[in-house]
Amino acid sequence: MRDDVMNFRQVATADDLARLEAALRALSAGIAEDYSTDRATLADALTGPRPAAYAILVLRGNDTLGAAMFSPVFSTVRGAAGLYVSDLWVSQHARGQGLGARLLAQVAQQGARDWQATWIKLAVYDHSTASQRFYKRLGFEPATGMQEMRLGAQGVSKLMERAT
């Protein structure tokens, strides 16, 4: 592979996993969030017998330029499979060159191929106005009339107790 050629590939090896983890840590730092995943949990989520997520890296030579992590979802309202992009990161020196859009296009292609996904959703922090502008330029629209709701680990444990 020439050093000036970008290589988009799915995370598959231990080296890929280390690169992804470094990218996700940089993303977390950039949005002022704690990174709380350990490598074993991340590896299991991506490469276990029933993956919970998938990830794509963008490499040029030995440099990691970008990464995306995503999962399939299904909407009865949309009547189709889609993708939830949980993480998208482009290195500081690679920004402004269309790499984020190319990375999302790779995610969309894999989703269409693997799950017949026809739509994408993601979340953007309120304070991340540059990210909001980026996604709007690609045609993403803010969701209206709904609010994201979350149930943490302790709440999930209590909920599961109700099933017994």
Side-chain angles (χ1 to χ4, degrees), residues 55-93:
I56 295 175
L57 292 172
V58 183
L59 307 174
R60 181 171 33 208
N62 201 34
D63 293 333
T64 304
L65 300 181
M69 199 156 76
F70 57 98
S71 306
V73 295
F74 188 86
S75 170
T76 57
V77 172
R78 291 180 181 265
L83 300 170
Y84 175 69
V85 177
S86 57
D87 298 284
L88 180 71
W89 173 81
V90 173
S91 70
Q92 191 68 37
H93 69 277

Side-chain angles (χ1 to χ4, degrees), residues 13-78:
T13 68
D15 181 58
D16 291 345
L17 190 62
R19 289 174 179 274
L20 176 65
E21 185 177 32
L24 296 176
R25 285 182 183 281
L27 174 62
S28 292
I31 58 175
E33 283 287 338
D34 292 333
Y35 182 84
S36 59
T37 303
D38 61 63
R39 182 146 331 152
T41 301
L42 186 61
D44 190 49
L46 295 171
T47 62
R50 299 188 86 158
Y54 300 83
I56 295 175
L57 292 172
V58 183
L59 307 174
R60 181 171 33 208
N62 201 34
D63 293 333
T64 304
L65 300 181
M69 199 156 76
F70 57 98
S71 306
V73 295
F74 188 86
S75 170
T76 57
V77 172
R78 291 180 181 265

Side-chain angles (χ1 to χ4, degrees), residues 1-7 59-62:
M1 173 175 64
R2 291 184 359 217
D3 282 349
D4 62 335
V5 174
M6 283 189 229
N7 178 23
L59 307 174
R60 181 171 33 208
N62 201 34

Side-chain angles (χ1 to χ4, degrees), residues 67-128:
M69 199 156 76
F70 57 98
S71 306
V73 295
F74 188 86
S75 170
T76 57
V77 172
R78 291 180 181 265
L83 300 170
Y84 175 69
V85 177
S86 57
D87 298 284
L88 180 71
W89 173 81
V90 173
S91 70
Q92 191 68 37
H93 69 277
R95 292 181 187 166
Q97 302 172 31
L99 183 56
R102 289 180 63 196
L103 187 50
L104 281 173
Q106 292 284 326
V107 167
Q109 286 176 349
Q110 183 173 339
R113 181 181 61 246
D114 293 350
W115 307 290
Q116 296 76 50
T118 61
W119 55 276
I120 297 173
K121 73 176 183 173
L122 47 80
V124 183
Y125 285 91
D126 289 337
H127 68 273
S128 188

